[in-house]
């Protein structure tokens, strides 16, 4: 996460690739890759990556929350789709996310 936050995408990509080599389609690594893609403004690619993360671990709320964020960033007027992902994440034990809920209003 530090490499992504600092914009060191080459280091982040290398670390994510190592994680994926150790565990193919690992949901955590895919979520990190999607976070990096979102920071780069590559929302379509991030959406595809999050689809993979959801298929890899459909009961983890992280990918659903990230997908809600991608939906809002890619199309702020389509809150219905974003809310659906957020609520699915809540169904799988995700905590209430005040900042995300504020964006969904």
């Amino acid at each position: 996460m530090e490499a992504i936050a600092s914009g060191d995408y080459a280091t982040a990509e290398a670390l994510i690739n190592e994680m994926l080599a150790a565990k193919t389609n690992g949901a955590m690594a895919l979520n990190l890759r999607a976070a990096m893609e979102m920071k780069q403004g590559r929302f379509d690619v991030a959406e595809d990556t999050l689809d993979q993360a959801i298929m890899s671990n459909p009961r983890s709320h992280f990918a659903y929350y990230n997908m809600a964020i991608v939906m809002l960033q890619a199309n702020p007027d389509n809150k219905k789709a974003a809310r659906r992902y957020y609520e699915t994440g809540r169904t799988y034990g995700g905590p209430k996310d005040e900042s995300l809920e504020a964006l969904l209003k």
Side-chain angles (χ1 to χ4, degrees):
M1 272 316 278
E2 290 177 25
I4 294 169
S6 69
D8 185 0
Y9 301 125
T11 298
E13 184 71 26
L15 293 170
I16 291 166
N17 286 339
E18 285 179 27
M19 292 172 69
L20 290 170
K23 184 175 182 181
T24 304
N25 290 323
M28 179 186 292
L30 292 169
N31 270 298
L32 288 172
R33 174 169 279 155
M36 179 180 67
E37 293 162 350
M38 286 188 288
K39 289 267 294 183
Q40 294 171 315
R42 299 168 53 209
F43 303 118
D44 290 346
V45 177
E47 186 176 338
D48 291 342
T49 302
L50 289 168
D51 281 336
Q52 287 180 307
I54 289 169
M55 286 189 290
S56 174
N57 188 355
R59 295 193 170 274
S60 173
H61 71 276
F62 295 108
Y64 293 103
Y65 281 22
N66 285 337
M67 186 68 89
I69 293 167
V70 166
M71 294 285 162
L72 289 170
Q73 290 179 335
N75 186 359
D77 294 329
N78 189 3
K79 293 181 182 185
K80 185 177 180 178
R83 177 166 292 286
R84 191 171 55 244
Y85 279 104
Y86 173 68
E87 290 174 357
T88 301
R90 291 291 312 262
T91 299
Y92 292 123
K96 186 173 185 174
D97 186 320
E98 298 286 342
S99 61
L100 187 49
E101 285 192 11
L103 293 172
L104 291 168
K105 289 185 179 183

